[in-house]
Amino acid sequence: LSPSEHFTLDVKASDEHRKSLFLVLTKPLDRETIPVHRLVLTASDGGRPSLTGTMELLISVLDVNDNAPQFNQSVYKVQLPESAAEGTLVARVNATDPDEGSNKEFSYSILSSTPIGNKELFTIDTKTGEIRLTGTLDFEDVLNDNAPEVWVTSLSVPVSEDASVGTVVALLSVSDRDSGANGRVRCWVWPASPFGLEATFAGSYSLVLREALDRERVSEYEVEVRAEDGGAPALRGRRGLRVPVSDVNDNAPAFAQAVYTVLARENNAAGAELARLWARDPDEAGNGRVSYSVWEGGMGAGAAVSSGVVGGGWRPASSYVSFEVRAVDAGEPPLCGNATVQLFVLDENDNAPALLPAAGSGPEAGGVAAAEASSSGAGSVSGTLWAWAAWGAPAGQVVAKIRAVDADSGYNAWLRYELWEPRGKGPFRVGLYSGEVSTARALDEADGPRQRLLIVVRDHGEPARSATATLSVSLVEAAEAALAAAAGSSSSSSSRSAVGVELGPGAASAATNVWLVVAICAVSSLFLLAVVLYGASRWAPRAAVLSGPGPTTLVCASEVGSWSYSQRHSRSLCVADGAAKSDLMVFSPNFPPPPPGAAAKDTQPEPSALLDT
């Protein structure tokens, strides 16, 4: 088929030597545009050379009444004197219809007239369109054929949104060429807000501002000044004005939130984006162009950090940062808005547990010394922890305590202690979360002289990090353990190592008891020595008088003398081993009887002899 935008060929094969053809309409027809379509249909075979056959298709488009009559002009203006006679040709109107046949036939008629009731003054020929006068005209009765006209003589736009009430926006001139009541005009503004009209003198008006403007609420006003004359019916005129409102910097940038909470993981690379903030400024151009900065006048990253107890309303300074972000526009003067950003640094398990000094050890020691104990103790030599435990110590007695800390927080800093070696049922165990090394059962000599424990301190992070501590526990007698603990305590000030181990409470208590007994014995010895010296100094001059009258009780006797008990005389005090006595033992020597007649002084030995005896 020859090229056509309205038709196409649909070919359907019936058999090898015959085909069915259908002419299909693809686009609506318009008789007024193309009344006849001429097409050429060509058929060709598959031989060599190919032979063809053609035929011409002539398609005529039938008319439908799809076009209305059209006048050659929309307005006809005629000037007619009031003295014109009846039958005077006023005007001839002309209309055409592009359809054909009966569809193009039409007639003319007068539908209405202004003023109402003057329709009978005119008549129109239905075929030719000629309008003729059928009555008498009177200028005084009707002739309000001029609508008011509105002209803008001055326009001051755009109007600043901070313009005061009463500001003149435009000057207007209103006129009506009619006379009398037909020429009297009244004017108003639509819509009535926020502008109004003020009459300055005859035929002149000012468009003034009656209310405050807000560009962010209404950026432009479409104002219409309307005028109406006093005719019957009244004629109207109008003039439209477009009044744009110019922006002033009366809006500060505002953040969507006063406080932003940002969660960020630690170990971020420099320049990594933590959060994205946006402040809205409804102003336009430079007044609405916002720049951002961290406000140095507020709480900066350093000044805003505060530390306290976690869970009591405070957060550790290492995980909490608060600072102010300021958004400033480019207006004159610039306005700004602030928002607080609270940055919470989320912990990552990047710190392994570290052993700590025991409580009470000075920072200069860098570790822990062995405490006094009677049955156990702890310390370290060259990085190896050591402790003592007494044979026979009951199950559950604390031998030492491993102390460690993790610089991370939360689960990453929650530590657990595990006994790595020896595995199985050994004589010791470790508290899972306390780190206390205690006896799992009563100790006996079958456990050997020394036990080596490998303790792993592990956090709950993912992946978990750990540290190891080696504890060497010596099994000794109770007294030896106490003395070893005491010696370790006295020498701890001069040799300490950075290991987190503490003595158990049993060892410290035993060591304290030993020193208490030693102190009591020393004080008692000094007191007894003082009493002996005091008695010797007081009774030395009467040391020769060893017995006196009175009954005595013989305790023991020998060839040199006898010990007697007396409650009446006290000459010499003897203190034996054991508890103190309140009674006295007196020694009376045996002397040979004196010869007859001998003087008494000759028969009594000298005090020095007595003392020697």
Side-chain angles (χ1 to χ4, degrees):
L1 188 66
S2 59
S4 173
E5 61 178 345
H6 293 87
F7 299 94
T8 186
L9 194 64
D10 185 10
V11 180
K12 293 184 179 179
S14 299
D15 52 39
E16 183 179 359
H17 302 289
R18 179 180 299 179
K19 296 189 179 200
S20 299
L21 306 180
F22 296 90
L23 189 64
V24 181
L25 182 66
T26 60
K27 182 179 179 181
L29 302 176
D30 186 3
R31 190 201 63 82
E32 288 73 30
T33 304
I34 305 177
V36 177
H37 296 265
R38 296 180 182 273
L39 304 176
V40 177
L41 181 62
T42 304
S44 58
D45 60 19
R48 293 179 181 272
S50 176
L51 300 179
T52 62
T54 61
M55 69 174 296
E56 183 180 12
L57 301 177
L58 183 62
I59 302 173
S60 299
V61 182
L62 301 179
D63 180 61
V64 295
N65 192 23
D66 58 346
N67 293 280
Q70 299 289 331
F71 287 92
N72 58 353
Q73 61 187 78
S74 60
V75 178
Y76 294 84
K77 290 186 178 182
V78 178
Q79 290 184 349
L80 190 67
E82 64 177 340
S83 60
E86 292 184 13
T88 302
L89 181 62
V90 177
R92 178 178 289 177
V93 297
N94 183 34
T96 59
D97 192 323
D99 293 328
E100 68 177 2
S102 61
N103 293 334
K104 67 179 302 183
E105 296 178 358
F106 56 87
S107 60
Y108 299 95
S109 63
I110 297 176
L111 296 179
S112 62
S113 67
T114 303
I116 299 175
N118 292 338
K119 181 179 179 181
E120 292 77 10
L121 291 176
F122 303 93
T123 184
I124 188 170
D125 191 306
T126 59
K127 297 295 185 179
T128 62
E130 293 180 351
I131 299 175
R132 294 184 180 274
L133 186 63
T134 60
T136 302
L137 297 178
D138 188 353
F139 176 83
E140 284 71 21
D141 290 341
V142 179
L143 201 54
N144 186 25
D145 57 349
N146 293 288
E149 295 181 344
V150 181
W151 303 95
V152 178
T153 59
S154 177
L155 181 62
S156 300
V157 292
V159 181
S160 177
E161 66 175 320
D162 62 349
S164 59
V165 174
T167 300
V168 177
V169 178
L171 297 177
L172 301 106
S173 175
V174 180
S175 63
D176 192 321
R177 292 183 295 174
D178 293 325
S179 60
N182 296 335
R184 287 193 298 267
V185 179
R186 68 182 185 92
C187 300
W188 70 93
V189 177
W190 187 90
S193 175
F195 301 99
L197 280 179
E198 291 182 357
T200 55
F201 49 88
S204 296
Y205 296 86
S206 297
L207 183 66
V208 297
L209 188 63
R210 292 285 177 82
E211 298 176 4
L213 301 177
D214 185 1
R215 191 205 66 82
E216 288 70 40
R217 186 172 60 88
V218 180
S219 61
E220 186 176 271
Y221 291 88
E222 293 289 342
V223 180
E224 189 174 83
V225 179
R226 296 179 177 180
E228 183 182 72
D229 62 20
L235 299 181
R236 291 180 178 181
R238 64 188 64 189
R239 178 68 63 180
L241 299 175
R242 189 176 67 88
V243 182
V245 182
S246 63
D247 182 59
V248 295
N249 193 25
D250 57 347
N251 292 279
F255 289 92
Q257 301 173 217
V259 178
Y260 290 85
T261 300
V262 178
L263 304 179
R265 291 193 173 276
E266 64 174 329
N267 302 326
N268 272 328
E273 179 178 307
L274 300 178
R276 182 167 296 184
L277 279 65
W278 180 74
R280 179 181 179 272
D281 193 325
D283 295 326
E284 66 177 357
N287 296 333
R289 188 169 58 250
V290 180
S291 59
Y292 302 88
S293 63
V294 176
W295 185 32
E296 297 181 356
M299 293 190 301
V305 176
S306 58
S307 62
V309 180
V310 177
W314 295 83
R315 295 185 178 274
S318 60
S319 64
Y320 176 82
V321 178
S322 176
F323 57 90
E324 295 276 343
V325 174
R326 166 171 284 188
V328 183
D329 60 28
E332 186 60 38
L335 301 178
C336 65
N338 296 335
T340 300
V341 177
Q342 293 181 347
L343 176 64
F344 292 88
V345 181
L346 302 180
D347 181 59
E348 289 190 345
N349 195 24
D350 55 350
N351 292 280
L355 298 177
L356 284 182
S361 63
E364 72 280 352
V368 60
E372 298 178 7
S374 60
S375 61
S376 64
S380 66
V381 178
S382 301
T384 299
L385 315 180
W386 46 270
W388 302 272
W391 281 318
Q397 180 172 347
V398 177
V399 175
K401 181 176 181 179
I402 306 298
R403 298 177 65 248
V405 69
D406 195 314
D408 295 321
S409 62
Y411 274 92
N412 296 333
W414 186 21
L415 302 181
R416 63 180 185 269
Y417 301 82
E418 301 174 3
L419 183 59
W420 194 253
E421 292 181 2
R423 294 181 179 272
K425 296 182 179 181
F428 296 99
R429 62 189 175 192
V430 179
L432 181 61
Y433 298 110
S434 64
E436 292 182 345
V437 181
S438 59
T439 54
R441 52 176 172 77
L443 303 177
D444 51 34
E445 295 185 0
D447 294 321
R450 176 170 298 179
Q451 290 283 334
R452 180 181 177 276
L453 308 180
L454 181 61
I455 300 172
V456 177
V457 184
R458 198 186 312 273
D459 59 29
H460 286 74
E462 183 63 35
R465 294 178 177 269
S466 62
T468 59
T470 302
L471 178 64
S472 180
V473 182
S474 299
L475 305 182
V476 295
E477 297 291 345
E480 294 180 11
L483 293 177
S489 176
S490 62
S491 62
S492 63
S493 59
S494 59
S495 61
R496 296 177 178 177
S497 61
V499 289
V501 59
E502 290 182 354
L503 289 178
S509 176
T512 303
N513 293 338
V514 170
W515 283 110
L516 184 60
V517 171
V518 172
I520 292 175
C521 292
V523 173
S524 301
S525 301
L526 292 176
F527 176 74
L528 182 60
L529 179 61
V531 170
V532 172
L533 293 177
Y534 174 76
S537 62
R538 181 169 182 176
W539 300 105
R542 293 178 293 176
V545 183
L546 298 178
S547 63
T552 60
T553 301
L554 181 64
V555 178
C556 61
S558 65
E559 60 181 7
V560 295
S562 63
W563 285 100
S564 300
Y565 174 76
S566 175
Q567 294 181 340
R568 297 178 56 192
H569 300 279
S570 57
R571 294 297 181 265
S572 297
L573 179 63
C574 296
V575 179
D577 294 338
K581 302 292 185 179
S582 60
D583 51 358
L584 301 176
M585 300 291 292
V586 179
F587 176 76
S588 298
N590 293 332
F591 295 105
K601 64 178 180 181
D602 297 331
T603 62
Q604 294 294 334
E606 293 295 328
S608 59
L610 282 173
L611 292 177
D612 293 337
T613 302

